Amino acid sequence: MKRINIVLILCLCTLFSFAQGGKALELKDIVGGKFRPENIYGVIPIPGDGEHYSQMNAEGTQIIKYSFKTGKSVEVLFDAKTARECSFKKFDGYSFSPDGGKLLIATQKVPIYRHSYTAVYYTYSLKRNLDGKINNVVEKLSDGGPQQTPVFSPDGNMVAFVRNNNIFLVKFLYGNSESQITEDGKRNAIINGIPDWVYEEEFSFNCALEFSPDNQMLAYIRFDETNVPSYSFPVFAGEEPHINAYEKYPGEYTYKYPKTGEANSMVSVRTFDIKSKVTRTVKLPLDAGGYIPRIRFTKSPDKLAIFTLNRHQNRFDLFLANPRSTECKLILRDESDTYIKEDIFDNIIFYPEYFSFVSDKSGYNHLYWYTIGGNLVKQITSGSYEVKKFLGWDASENTFYYISNEESPLRQAVYKIDHKGRKTKLSTQIGINDAQFSTDMKYFMNRYSNLHTPTVITLNDNQGKVLSTLITNEKLKQTLAKYSVPQKEFFTFKTKDGVMLNGWIMKPVNFSESKKYPALMYQYSGPGSQEVVDSWKISWETYMASRGYIVVCVDGRGTGGRGAAFEKCTYLNLGVKEAKDQVETAEYIASLPYIDKERIGIWGWSFGGYMTLMSMSEGTPVFKAGVAVAPVTDWNYYDTIYGERFMRTPQENAEGYKNASTFTRADKFHGSLLLVHGMADDNVHFQNSAEYAEHLVQLGKQFDMQVYTNRNHSIYGGNTRLHLYTKLTNFFDQNLKQ
């Protein structure tokens, strides 16, 4: 109890110091990142070395080795200024070979989609000569043009990469000789070793290429997207950047995008024998239209793990394939009445005799432990909480490390549990904790924040003891103390259906209960998402609260952190329950004495934009104004993997698609609307807003619209973000403050 009181006092003191500064927040400072917490980026635990991690310096000129015990720098592993034959002055990223003996250094990075990019790569050896020195020479990986997703062989003597949808292999022991493994790669047709657009976006990966543990085989996923329908959007000359080629006549970007109910890529797994140069196709029993979200070699060279989902995504199968015989054996199946969650893939980690598995089959995400043959050893965690991430297993102590929200759906902590079920909480601070462990699980870097505490980064041992504090963000706290910064408070309320919902509220610093304030609701509302969590953030919503708005956010039904029943209750009927919950949130806050029920607005981006439109068309006229940024307006316009995961296909669920469409209920739309979209949005196509706008026109409903030239789903570049949030601010001021 004493500890709770001390924490409360500290939080209140911090809150008081932040709030009483007096200076007004400025939008350009928020958008420009003035209040962005200091962080540590690009941390990589050094392979085969449990004592150290590496990090790029802020200038992108050095890779520095640090001690996990002290957090102090040990040596500079690479320096672009002093390396021999180094043609670049700075770089964009790096990776280690599995044995820790070589570096791949990325330069001239050019983004493609959310996770993918091309870069010009260089290799650098960290191995020392007999005199104890390294050669300090930088070598270009390939002269044939930029590469994608280079992968080291386990022994560090080869690198495979993708260029123009084909796989290439570089052998360092043969004078860096380069050979082409596949020949059929072709844009908008055949892709080898990297995912197509929809896999990258919805299964969250950019590499589909693996070496066997004995360095003798390559395995890769081949995508045939020939029959996938194409989508095109215009590209203008624009500014920031300016494209000279399109100054007089616009260009066009065309790519394959499978919309719900349409054809997906045909996928297969292939293996390549590096010595004999024989390519084989694995005999995988995949359903028609099924998915292969990952391939991953186990610790055994004759066991290639292949992850598959049926098209409905309610059955996950894990196969072990022999890369030479191509025979497959099913070792695990997980099924759901609704859908398998996407976080399943990266929580599967293979060890020589075991592998981990996370599933919500008990009603909550929990950790399971299997033999490599697929026999369940035991369920490691259980209870009415969710395991958010499996961090690893320490074989020497038979101990499992993970992150869960056992204390609250709003918080995350780092835990370990031994083979006897004895659990230890390793993170000491209450809020959102995330951990990155050393390769031997002896140390971890912990990132923590809560509503009133910007990011704090510590180094801890695997007992939880803090060994060193790397980031405190004291400088940011001192800066914030000069400003009037509204603070979030948590609240809950019960809907008419008897569902308890979590929310936060931000009031102006000079708040008075005797006044009536306009209210602005922010939400995302997408399946499994969470906006109401105990973490620190200053955003545009903070700025709006500082200008006299009361800002509210509520996670309605379908959001994450509260188990499968709560998250999956929107299955086959996206948007209906979620919109009802946002309407009831508006009705709840309208009942508060200090909120003007005639001046409530709502806004959101992407799924949040969709929910803005659905909520303003729910039939209860509680919103005076709303902003929908890059919204989905009909699930017929969105991609197969995401849309069908929650809705199945339009052919199977016509009524569900009808009810989930903003068009169906547009005649009931009430309030002033600002519709915002980027014309080069490869994710939620501009088509969504264009068609919805036309529908509103034909219904005779007035609205405002802001279109951004050449901007993708994130709508940024040059002055774009400041323009966007200024537009939003002015719109709500005009509609809610008058």
Side-chain angles (χ1 to χ4, degrees):
M1 188 65 192
K2 287 181 180 177
R3 179 171 179 166
I4 292 173
N5 287 335
I6 290 169
V7 171
L8 179 60
I9 290 168
L10 288 173
C11 285
L12 289 174
C13 288
T14 307
L15 170 63
F16 183 79
S17 67
F18 280 6
Q20 299 303 312
K23 287 178 68 175
L25 293 173
E26 293 190 38
L27 182 57
K28 63 180 177 60
D29 290 336
I30 291 176
V31 174
K34 181 174 183 176
F35 306 116
R36 187 177 299 126
E38 184 183 357
N39 208 329
I40 297 177
Y41 301 100
V43 171
I44 301 178
I46 296 178
D49 175 359
E51 296 294 321
H52 300 96
Y53 65 91
S54 64
Q55 181 192 346
M56 283 172 57
N57 65 351
E59 295 76 26
T61 60
Q62 292 182 329
I63 301 170
I64 305 170
K65 182 178 181 179
Y66 292 88
S67 166
F68 261 114
K69 280 185 180 178
T70 66
K72 297 186 181 301
S73 62
V74 175
E75 65 174 311
V76 176
L77 295 177
F78 174 78
D79 191 333
K81 294 179 181 178
T82 60
R84 293 163 51 205
E85 301 179 30
C86 185
S87 60
F88 54 88
K89 294 181 179 179
K90 60 188 300 184
F91 55 97
D92 302 313
Y94 71 101
S95 61
F96 286 93
S97 60
D99 65 352
K102 288 189 178 73
L103 290 169
L104 264 175
I105 300 170
T107 68
Q108 302 177 51
K109 186 183 287 188
V110 177
I112 303 174
Y113 300 122
R114 189 185 296 268
H115 304 285
S116 57
Y117 56 88
T118 63
V120 176
Y121 286 89
Y122 295 81
T123 60
Y124 182 81
S125 177
L126 297 170
K127 294 177 181 177
R128 298 185 181 275
N129 299 322
L130 294 176
D131 60 2
K133 296 180 180 179
I134 61 175
N135 289 331
N136 199 30
V137 175
V138 173
E139 295 185 78
K140 199 172 186 181
L141 178 63
S142 171
D143 290 320
Q147 305 93 45
Q148 281 184 255
T149 63
V151 178
F152 270 113
S153 61
D155 62 8
N157 290 328
M158 294 178 286
V159 168
F161 65 84
V162 175
R163 179 193 291 125
N164 298 329
N165 291 4
N166 279 314
I167 299 169
F168 295 78
L169 182 66
V170 173
K171 297 180 178 180
F172 300 130
L173 298 182
Y174 292 85
N176 291 11
S177 64
E178 180 177 318
S179 57
Q180 187 167 339
I181 305 304
T182 64
E183 303 281 350
D184 58 348
K186 183 181 178 183
R187 176 168 165 73
N188 287 337
I190 304 296
I191 310 172
N192 295 292
I194 53 175
D196 66 3
W197 183 92
V198 71
Y199 269 68
E200 176 182 336
E201 175 66 26
E202 304 302 356
F203 290 143
S204 304
F205 72 118
N206 68 357
C207 182
L209 178 64
E210 289 268 321
F211 275 98
S212 63
D214 61 2
N215 310 289
Q216 295 183 20
M217 304 286 288
L218 275 172
Y220 60 94
I221 306 176
R222 179 182 184 269
F223 295 80
D224 182 348
E225 57 178 359
T226 306
N227 295 324
V228 177
S230 295
Y231 184 84
S232 300
F233 53 80
V235 182
F236 300 91
E239 298 181 31
E240 300 289 343
H242 177 72
I243 307 172
N244 293 329
Y246 301 144
E247 283 185 343
K248 200 162 189 178
Y249 293 95
E252 185 178 72
Y253 186 81
T254 299
Y255 67 117
K256 295 302 184 92
Y257 184 107
K259 303 202 175 199
T260 50
E262 301 294 332
N264 276 314
S265 290
M266 294 184 289
V267 287
S268 58
V269 177
R270 298 198 172 180
T271 64
F272 176 77
D273 189 312
I274 295 170
K275 187 175 181 179
S276 69
K277 300 183 180 180
V278 173
T279 299
R280 303 174 176 93
T281 301
V282 174
K283 299 170 186 173
L284 183 67
L286 185 68
D287 291 358
Y291 300 105
I292 307 175
R294 298 286 191 280
I295 58 171
R296 196 174 295 151
F297 265 103
T298 66
K299 302 302 181 183
S300 172
D302 63 353
K303 292 182 174 64
L304 171 67
I306 303 175
F307 303 3
T308 73
L309 287 171
N310 61 338
R311 181 148 180 172
H312 283 161
Q313 299 175 71
N314 63 353
R315 189 186 76 239
F316 170 80
D317 285 340
L318 176 58
F319 293 92
L320 289 184
N322 185 302
R324 285 190 167 85
S325 74
T326 71
E327 297 295 332
C328 288
K329 179 183 178 183
L330 178 66
I331 63 165
L332 184 145
R333 172 169 286 180
D334 195 33
E335 296 184 276
S336 170
D337 293 335
T338 52
Y339 56 88
I340 301 292
K341 292 167 65 173
E342 185 224 341
D343 61 7
I344 194 172
F345 311 126
D346 293 328
N347 282 311
I348 298 175
I349 301 177
F350 291 97
Y351 299 89
E353 297 178 6
Y354 304 98
F355 68 89
S356 59
F357 187 67
V358 171
S359 171
D360 67 356
K361 58 188 174 184
S362 69
Y364 291 85
N365 254 25
H366 281 295
L367 176 62
Y368 298 81
W369 195 236
Y370 284 84
T371 68
I372 202 69
N375 296 315
L376 177 64
V377 178
K378 67 184 300 185
Q379 180 175 339
I380 304 300
T381 62
S382 61
S384 298
Y385 64 91
E386 292 193 339
V387 170
K388 308 299 286 187
K389 185 191 296 184
F390 174 56
L391 298 168
W393 175 59
D394 183 350
S396 64
E397 298 183 0
N398 199 6
T399 299
F400 304 84
Y401 295 84
Y402 62 95
I403 293 171
S404 80
N405 64 0
E406 184 169 344
E407 295 174 314
S408 163
L410 280 57
R411 300 183 174 97
Q412 289 183 184
V414 184
Y415 292 88
K416 70 175 181 179
I417 187 170
D418 66 18
H419 62 287
K420 294 183 179 180
R422 291 175 298 202
K423 186 188 304 181
T424 305
K425 182 184 173 188
L426 300 180
S427 54
T428 58
Q429 302 292 343
I430 296 175
I432 295 293
N433 291 271
D434 197 7
Q436 187 173 12
F437 270 80
S438 60
T439 54
D440 61 2
M441 308 303 294
K442 301 302 181 188
Y443 308 98
F444 68 96
M445 182 181 289
N446 190 74
R447 288 174 169 83
Y448 145 78
S449 79
N450 64 24
L451 285 191
H452 310 301
T453 309
T455 303
V456 175
I457 302 179
T458 59
L459 292 175
N460 305 51
D461 65 20
N462 64 4
Q463 304 301 311
K465 179 183 177 181
V466 175
L467 303 174
S468 177
T469 300
L470 304 180
I471 299 289
T472 62
N473 272 297
E474 285 302 323
K475 186 177 179 181
L476 175 59
K477 292 177 185 178
Q478 292 170 13
T479 300
L480 287 166
K482 302 172 186 176
Y483 289 83
S484 295
V485 183
Q487 299 295 307
K488 292 177 183 175
E489 306 165 41
F490 290 125
F491 72 94
T492 60
F493 82 98
K494 187 177 288 187
T495 68
K496 296 169 187 174
D497 293 333
V499 180
M500 191 68 73
L501 299 180
N502 297 319
W504 56 252
I505 186 169
M506 256 194 300
K507 302 169 184 173
V509 171
N510 57 355
F511 170 75
S512 169
E513 289 214 15
S514 63
K515 292 177 64 176
K516 290 278 190 181
Y517 294 88
L520 176 60
M521 286 171 47
Y522 164 72
Q523 44 68 51
Y524 179 74
S525 303
S529 66
Q530 282 187 267
E531 295 296 326
V532 183
V533 291
D534 194 3
S535 65
W536 190 89
K537 186 180 182 182
I538 284 188
S539 63
W540 177 71
E541 289 79 20
T542 315
Y543 173 69
M544 294 299 279
S546 76
R547 298 180 68 259
Y549 291 84
I550 288 181
V551 184
V552 174
C553 178
V554 165
D555 281 340
R557 284 172 290 181
T559 56
R562 298 178 60 178
F566 187 86
E567 181 173 334
K568 296 181 176 182
C569 70
T570 62
Y571 185 59
L572 299 181
N573 288 285
L574 278 187
V576 179
K577 290 177 180 176
E578 301 96 309
K580 186 176 181 183
D581 286 348
Q582 293 304 314
V583 167
E584 289 208 30
T585 298
E587 291 176 326
Y588 167 74
I589 64 173
S591 70
L592 300 176
Y594 46 82
I595 287 181
D596 185 344
K597 66 179 181 179
E598 302 299 327
R599 294 188 293 159
I600 299 176
I602 184 171
W603 96 280
W605 197 311
S606 196
F607 198 102
Y610 164 67
M611 192 46 48
T612 293
L613 300 178
M614 291 292 284
S615 301
M616 295 180 75
S617 310
E618 190 265 352
T620 308
V622 291
F623 298 108
K624 186 180 181 186
V627 173
V629 181
V632 173
T633 58
D634 192 297
W635 294 104
N636 280 285
Y637 297 148
Y638 203 56
D639 73 60
T640 49
I641 294 177
Y642 189 93
E644 293 174 16
R645 181 184 301 156
F646 309 116
M647 294 287 287
R648 295 202 172 181
T649 65
Q651 296 88 335
E652 297 171 283
N653 185 23
E655 190 64 22
Y657 273 76
K658 179 181 177 182
N659 294 335
S661 174
T662 61
F663 293 82
T664 304
R665 50 172 68 185
D667 60 324
K668 295 186 289 185
F669 188 92
H670 175 84
S672 299
L673 172 66
L674 173 60
L675 197 58
V676 180
H677 221 118
M679 291 189 70
D681 192 332
D682 62 277
N683 183 358
V684 181
H685 297 149
F686 180 62
Q687 172 190 23
N688 284 270
S689 287
E691 296 289 4
Y692 185 70
E694 167 67 5
H695 190 60
L696 292 180
V697 168
Q698 298 310 319
L699 287 174
K701 293 185 177 289
Q702 294 295 319
F703 62 97
D704 292 315
M705 192 168 184
Q706 176 67 53
V707 175
Y708 286 100
T709 304
N710 291 357
R711 300 304 170 196
N712 66 13
H713 195 56
S714 298
I715 311 182
Y716 69 94
N719 193 52
T720 306
R721 273 293 173 93
L722 181 58
H723 185 279
L724 168 63
Y725 281 114
T726 301
K727 184 78 174 178
L728 268 58
T729 302
N730 293 340
F731 176 81
F732 281 120
D733 281 354
Q734 292 163 9
N735 286 280
L736 298 183
K737 276 198 166 182
Q738 299 176 6

